[in-house]
Amino acid sequence: MSEPRYRVLFLHPSPALAKHVVGYVVRRRAGSGPAPVGPAQTVSFPANVYSALSIVHRGALRDPVSGSLVTSATFSGAMTLPVRRELVDEPEITTALLKPGAAARISRVPSHELTNAWVDAQDILTPDEYLEISEHLAEQPTVARQIMVLEQMLRQRIERHALGTGADPLAAVLERGSFGLGRLKVAELARHAGLSERQLNRRVMDALGIGPKMLLRLARVQESVRLARELSGQRGHRALAQLARDAGFADVSHMTKELRLFTSQPPPQLRERLRQSNLNEWAYELPQDW
């Protein structure tokens, strides 16, 4: 069996940033030698409601559709379609996986401009902030020190814009409705939040860049993948009908259609991938308690 070409770690944020950051996904080459020669590996990321700040240290990411290289540091918001990227020269990547809507608050860019987009961080951060994550971070000898540099930049930016003060109405909405979120209808979510449907639509759109209906659809998909992952290594898997019902879908056909759209894979192939793959590559591996 060949040695893995890279390792992927998930690290939790410091308490000071836990309100904004889900965690850090760190991808590093497994060995110290040069990147292996060969065709670029293609990876796929499913649609999800998270936002992110992604930093490429070595190598590059390439959009397989346009053929263009992705900027080395980008902010991104919610993704309503799966995204494919080619890994050129075995890139090393540090991603701050941010809570839904947090990239917009930290970047000061409207959420809808980050939805399904990768925005150059150099156009958003100050020169000193960009220098920290583009050069100083990569110079650190350990992953722990690299995360310290990234956290310091994020913390200073959050403090400067007073992002940690005051109540977040949407966060309260999601906290109250996050358990079984995918099983709710928009009217039920609005009722849980004490809002009219029009108010809910405006607040969710402003904060996440997507509407409540899309939020609930993505929540159902994430819940179905979480359940499929729990069952992927067991014998006597729960019937697909039960899986669909538990995740909030109307039936198996509904679940299969949504999984094809948002992950590019129907339930059997998805379950097999979850069994075989490095799960930290998937947003669904990460905590669902937004």
Side-chain angles (χ1 to χ4, degrees):
M1 180 180 297
S2 61
E3 291 295 322
R5 297 165 66 178
Y6 60 89
R7 57 193 174 95
V8 181
L9 306 173
F10 174 70
L11 306 173
H12 293 279
S14 64
L17 290 177
K19 181 179 179 180
H20 306 277
V21 180
V22 177
Y24 304 98
V25 182
V26 180
R27 182 186 191 277
R28 295 292 183 266
R29 296 175 186 171
S32 57
V37 178
Q41 178 185 0
T42 299
V43 296
S44 177
F45 301 93
N48 65 90
V49 298
Y50 297 112
S51 53
L53 168 59
S54 300
I55 306 157
V56 181
H57 309 290
R58 294 196 294 181
L61 296 179
R62 182 167 57 210
D63 185 336
V65 177
S66 67
S68 60
L69 295 179
V70 178
T71 306
S72 59
T74 57
F75 280 97
S76 57
M79 295 291 172
T80 62
L81 292 172
V83 176
R84 294 173 65 243
R85 290 289 182 261
E86 292 178 345
L87 307 179
V88 181
D89 296 330
E90 289 296 302
E92 296 195 337
I93 308 168
T94 299
T95 299
L97 193 72
L98 306 172
K99 295 195 174 184
R105 297 192 298 272
I106 293 171
S107 67
R108 314 299 286 174
V109 174
S111 288
H112 70 272
E113 294 184 16
L114 295 175
T115 301
N116 294 321
W118 298 48
V119 179
D120 190 343
Q122 194 167 8
D123 295 335
I124 295 171
L125 302 175
T126 67
D128 286 344
E129 289 171 340
Y130 188 76
L131 183 66
E132 283 295 304
I133 65 169
S134 62
E135 296 186 21
H136 293 173
L137 188 151
E139 293 170 354
Q140 302 306 308
T142 66
V143 169
R145 288 184 178 274
Q146 291 171 348
I147 297 302
M148 286 177 62
V149 170
L150 178 55
E151 283 215 327
Q152 181 177 2
M153 187 280 290
L154 290 173
R155 188 167 57 250
Q156 290 175 348
R157 189 171 179 86
I158 288 168
E159 291 173 353
R160 185 167 67 253
H161 294 295
L163 299 181
T165 62
D168 182 349
L170 181 61
V173 168
L174 295 178
E175 183 178 354
R176 291 166 62 182
S178 60
F179 181 78
L181 186 65
R183 292 190 287 275
L184 297 177
K185 297 184 182 302
V186 172
E188 294 171 324
L189 182 59
R191 190 164 59 252
H192 278 296
L195 301 169
S196 69
E197 289 188 42
R198 180 175 295 181
Q199 290 172 323
L200 179 71
N201 184 74
R202 185 175 63 251
R203 291 192 183 184
V204 173
M205 184 64 73
D206 287 346
L208 305 184
I210 57 175
K213 288 184 179 179
M214 178 59 70
L215 169 64
L216 297 182
R217 289 176 72 188
L218 292 174
R220 281 192 290 270
V221 170
Q222 291 188 196
E223 178 67 3
S224 67
V225 175
R226 184 187 69 80
L227 292 171
R229 176 200 162 197
E230 289 181 352
L231 300 169
S232 62
Q234 302 175 16
R235 294 183 178 181
H237 294 322
R238 184 183 309 176
L240 286 180
Q242 183 67 41
L243 178 61
R245 190 161 49 250
D246 288 351
F249 292 102
D251 51 36
V252 173
S253 176
H254 181 205
M255 179 176 70
T256 299
K257 179 181 177 180
E258 293 288 89
L259 286 176
R260 284 185 184 276
L261 175 64
F262 291 124
T263 74
S264 300
Q265 300 180 66
Q269 284 86 341
L270 177 61
R271 193 161 57 185
E272 180 64 16
R273 175 174 179 182
L274 289 171
R275 188 182 69 81
Q276 294 181 352
S277 70
N278 185 332
L279 292 174
N280 279 327
E281 292 180 11
W282 284 67
Y284 301 120
E285 156 70 359
L286 299 164
Q288 303 299 304
D289 53 345
W290 303 339

